[in-house]
Amino acid sequence: MPDWAREVRARLSSLTLSPEREAEIVDELAQHLDDRWRELIAGGASPDDATRLTLADFRQRDVLARRMATLRQAHPPASVTPGVATGRLLGDLRHDLRYATRTMAARPGFTAVAVLSLALSIGADTAIFSLWNGVLHASLPAVREPDQLVMLSNPDESGSWTGRTQGPRSWLTYGEFEQLRDHAEGFSAIMASQSSLNTWQVRFEGGDWEEARGRLVSGGFFQALGVAPAIGRLFTAADDRTDTPDAVISHDYWKRRFGGRFDVLGKTLTVRKAVLTIIGVAPPGFIGETSGQRPDLWLPLRMQPSVLPGSDRLHDTPPEKTMWLHVFGRLTPGVTPAQAEAQANAVFRAGLESFYGGIATPERRRELLDQRLQIGPAGRGASPTRHEFSQSLTALLAGVAVLLLIACANLANLLLARGAVRTPEMALRLSLGASRGRLIRQLVTESLALAAIGGAAAIAVAYGLHGALVRMLAESDPRFHMSFSADPLVLAFNLPATVCAALLFGVLPAWQATRADAATSLKEQSRGGSGTFGRLRSAGLLVSLQLALSLPLLVGAGLLARTVYNLLRADLGFPAERLLLVRVNLRDAGYEGARRDSVLRELVGEVRRIPGVQAASFSQLGVFSGGESSATIEVEGYAPKADGRQSALDVIGPGYFSTLGVPMRVGREILESDSGDATNVCAINEAFAKRFFDHRNPIGMRITLVNDDNRTSYQVVGVAKNARTHSLRGDVEPRFFVPAKQPYASASPTLLIRTAAGTQPVLAAVRKGIQGVDAAVPIMSATSIEERMAPLTAQDRATAQLAVVFGAVALALAAIGLYGVLSYGIARRTGEIAIRIALGAQRGRVISMILRETSGLVAVGLALGGGMAYMASRLIGSRLYGVAPQDPLTLTLATGLLLMVAFSAAGVPAMRASRVDPMTALRQS
Amino acid sequence: MDARALDRELKKGSAELLILSLLAARARHGYELNKVIHARSRGQLRFHIDSLYPLLYRLEERGWIKGVWVEKPGERRRTARPGAATKDVGRIRGGRTARHGRRTCLTGREKCARGCRR
């Protein structure tokens, strides 16, 4: 029997099949020929004939090869030397990625560290960026064409003000809104919303009372924002004309509270004195016109008297106005904001003229008419927190960016060390014909793959962190709420951050790793030689950079920590403990006029009798309540300067100063005997005395409160020490205090209760006491001074905590980096050190040699870092309290800490070097 | 049936269909396949070894059939069976070849075994 395999192989020889494939084909065809031959033999043919006939099945010698040539298997891919330039970019990329996965899988420890540190730092960056973007830049969600929206009020302010005002308006009155809505050209739609968010006790269909947040809005609210209902219907312009008890709820609230059931439409809800019907659900994602808040329900403005009882904010009596509304408009196409502003102001001014028409004196009129509207873009919506949080968020964003840089430097260092291990591999590839550019590309692809995994994980980290950050911010403003959105802008941040990180930590090590001259490197490997100093130099530079970047973080953390320390120990001018603040609403309970005075006296008297209460009084504003009150005054013997006719004011009860614990500098405090028909007296604070009386003795002087044509004079009886009752920051404002009596008796005063021990045990008795006087008096809030002040420092505490965490992480990374570089350097130089020791170098000399080298790195780092710290401290300058941005103590402490950590990190490898046994080390090499 | 006629059919793609339909019934190895074709065409049709195998390999590359080595005592043969992409080969056969249109009549005679005209 002939050798069929040889026959077949000869016919395949012109093809380039892979060896395995060729063997298979040869096998199969040989089998076929064999079968055929056996059949012929069985049919009686002679072996020679059978062989001839069998081979005749192959026609010309090259038919098989020709037919096979068109098959794919005849063209196996050329074998690849990793790193050899093939000129096919995509093919290379696929190859590199496969190689990268293998290298990553081969070193799971390194991969985990790299991915984790990238995920954490990019995640933190993304989370803070997302929040920063959400608070400062993002457009209102779910609103149609937000760029067309403008605001006629101040987007940064929320609240209300009753009285008079001058200059640009923060808020508008209901009457002013109506005039603008009906007469201002230039707007295709215009609407008003309550500038502050209410927290209401509500009840659905006679269920239990529960808390819900919401605001009053005009009929055109939803239409002006361009939204359609998810279900049901929304308010229309008709709601501005009649008092329709309708309510619209948010989509989120619908899902959360009602499980998204459709029978929510038509349900009734009770809010204070009103019973309303739910008519619709706003579209998903819609939060209204204020960024950072999430209302549950919207009610028509016209329902104000019954859902916010106590005052009629829909009608004003000259000259007093209640300003409480934000007004938004959508510009008619073709109208510029400037034109719209001019038109709106013309309508506004006409309104003012008719409102103040009754004021006779031209001077007064001029003063009263000095009001105007400013139009600004409102695509981002109103936000009471934007201004407040912007600096902290920007500082934090800078902080995490620095942290990311440090993490990159650290990874670069790790990769440098790995590069050193891979030098022989690279040298081998270079000598096999790989080009250096191609090798760098491959190494950078590895970095990119690492970063890609880290970046993807970062999104998950960011999601988690975002929630925590929002909770932190919400501590200083409980109404603040913002959900994490994978905004295109946020992703557009995450992606380049990831790629930049990969390039940052990948390129330098790749450059270094492929620098090796093949011959030297291969030789060196076999010799275990002393290492290339170029690589150590760049590693050292990276460590210096890490140290430099850590310094501003440490200084920032230190400054913020001291700020918090100072804020928490700020001298208020009275003891900030054992003080209970209980705000009651007398107007709601139906007390007006003189009855308010008497019920207040009765309440305070009742509270004073409670065991554990040392003293009690009250004031209109309370302490750190966020409310403020000011008045136009004339001071005897004081010539008013340009700004000098206004002063802050509070209406107080007898014993106010002694209850708070504010000492009188001169004279006496307001007493029980000053109420009723007694002479009008008042007390002032030191700031007031300094401002208005300068060096004169204020006692006995007269201060006249000017309220239009109504003038009331008060005689100064005492000067109280400056006390911080309204703001922790800034100077204490000039303030004067008048006793609570007609006509200045507060509708919702705050009882100030000084207790002997803690406030908690007394609270129940106080509630009972108040109920005992009149069960109809609602207690609006009851908090200790500590609870009241916590939100004031919450933002600073949160920022400081984060800064301290960032600083600690930065320091730890820098220490790891330093330790790694020195360990590596010493490992490479064991031979050299061994020779030194063998030649008689003292161990101490070896240690000091290593530490001397460390000093160089640290010195460069500190010099660089000092400059950065200087700039960083200016960034947070205005958030600082009681500490200068260039505070030398903080700078010294931060530097000291950095030095300590740096030398501890250097100490371990230095000790190890000094313990090198020369004999062992030299024998090894 | 001469080799040139078969070559024409190959170009038209009928041979591929023929092989697929035979393999749809059961898996066979190359030599057996050729014998079945030879028998069914009453000796009219026979593949040369240098046409058959390149054709099988092409079908294999397209994923229409799958070659597997089947071990029996004393022998090891590579057998072709329908590949994943030919689950519906039965339907193809049922549709096209059953109507026995001109293009799929492989015998090339004036009047084929089943009576269709050329």
Side-chain angles (χ1 to χ4, degrees), chain A residues 66-209:
Chain A
R66 244 181 21 236
R67 294 252 157 100
M68 290 285 294
T70 59
L71 294 177
R72 264 205 307 281
Q73 50 198 273
H75 306 281
S79 69
V80 179
T81 311
V84 173
T86 59
R88 291 198 316 269
L89 211 58
L90 274 178
D92 285 353
L93 184 68
R94 208 172 48 118
H95 223 263
D96 287 352
L97 282 177
R98 241 174 50 211
Y99 198 81
T101 11
R102 286 186 199 147
T103 16
M104 278 193 266
R107 305 255 324 221
F110 170 78
T111 309
V113 167
V115 167
L116 200 69
S117 60
L118 281 173
L120 284 177
S121 46
I122 299 179
D125 263 14
T126 310
I128 292 186
F129 178 78
S130 161
L131 198 59
W132 181 81
N133 173 52
V135 170
L136 297 175
H137 293 287
S139 295
L140 286 171
V143 167
R144 179 172 56 86
E145 295 175 84
D147 295 343
Q148 288 180 355
L149 284 178
V150 291
M151 255 181 109
L152 290 79
S153 45
N154 185 345
D156 296 331
E157 307 258 3
S158 78
S160 72
W161 180 258
T162 302
R164 292 180 309 267
T165 182
Q166 282 181 314
R169 285 286 281 274
S170 290
W171 311 295
L172 276 74
T173 70
Y174 186 72
E176 287 160 356
F177 158 65
E178 283 189 316
Q179 287 153 6
L180 288 168
R181 182 195 60 201
D182 297 339
H183 303 297
E185 313 275 320
F187 300 100
S188 59
I190 195 161
M191 64 86 172
S193 67
Q194 188 187 358
S195 63
S196 53
L197 188 67
N198 294 305
T199 303
W200 275 306
Q201 292 294 318
V202 301
R203 154 164 102 162
F204 294 93
E205 314 248 89
D208 286 335
W209 289 102

Side-chain angles (χ1 to χ4, degrees), chain A residues 223-281:
Chain A
Q223 188 223 328
L225 292 176
V227 295
I231 60 165
R233 59 189 176 84
L234 303 173
F235 301 146
T236 60
D239 291 272
D240 281 350
R241 287 190 291 274
T242 51
D243 298 359
T244 42
D246 290 341
V248 171
I249 62 173
S250 77
H251 195 269
D252 177 62
Y253 190 57
W254 180 45
K255 291 278 179 214
R256 190 154 38 91
R257 173 63 182 76
F258 300 100
R261 286 198 312 276
F262 284 83
D263 62 2
V264 71
L265 297 178
K267 267 196 202 308
T268 58
L269 82 156
T270 313
V271 182
R272 303 298 290 271
K273 296 173 177 170
V275 179
L276 305 117
T277 311
I278 298 176
I279 58 162
V281 176

Side-chain angles (χ1 to χ4, degrees), chain A residues 125 397-407 548-550 552-553 810 868:
Chain A
D125 263 14
L397 192 61
V400 281
V402 170
L403 204 60
L404 179 60
L405 279 180
I406 294 177
L549 289 171
S550 311
L553 284 183
M868 289 195 268

Side-chain angles (χ1 to χ4, degrees), chain A residues 662-708:
Chain A
V662 177
M664 302 305 291
R665 288 290 188 223
V666 194
R668 64 169 178 89
E669 71 165 317
I670 305 292
L671 299 171
E672 201 75 55
S673 53
D674 292 321
S675 53
D677 299 329
T679 333
N680 281 334
V681 296
C682 72
I684 59 175
N685 66 1
E686 287 172 307
F688 190 102
K690 187 156 183 261
R691 164 93 171 275
F692 292 100
F693 293 105
D694 206 5
H695 294 298
R696 298 178 294 145
N697 180 7
I699 302 295
M701 301 299 251
R702 304 196 76 78
I703 297 171
T704 308
L705 219 161
V706 184
N707 197 354
D708 306 313

Side-chain angles (χ1 to χ4, degrees), chain A residues 403 406 410 546-547 549-551 553-554 804-818 893-902 905:
Chain A
L403 204 60
I406 294 177
N410 216 44
Q546 276 180 288
L547 291 170
L549 289 171
S550 311
L551 195 60
L553 284 183
L554 285 178
V804 167
V805 171
F806 293 168
V809 172
L811 201 57
L813 286 176
I816 293 170
L818 186 60
L893 280 177
T895 313
L897 187 64
L898 201 61
L899 283 175
M900 206 176 74
V901 170

Side-chain angles (χ1 to χ4, degrees), chain A residues 479-508:
Chain A
R479 280 174 291 273
F480 181 77
H481 194 282
M482 188 163 277
S483 42
F484 181 76
S485 63
D487 203 289
L489 198 61
V490 172
L491 295 182
F493 173 83
N494 174 276
L495 202 67
T498 308
V499 173
C500 286
L503 295 180
L504 273 177
F505 73 74
V507 171
L508 176 69

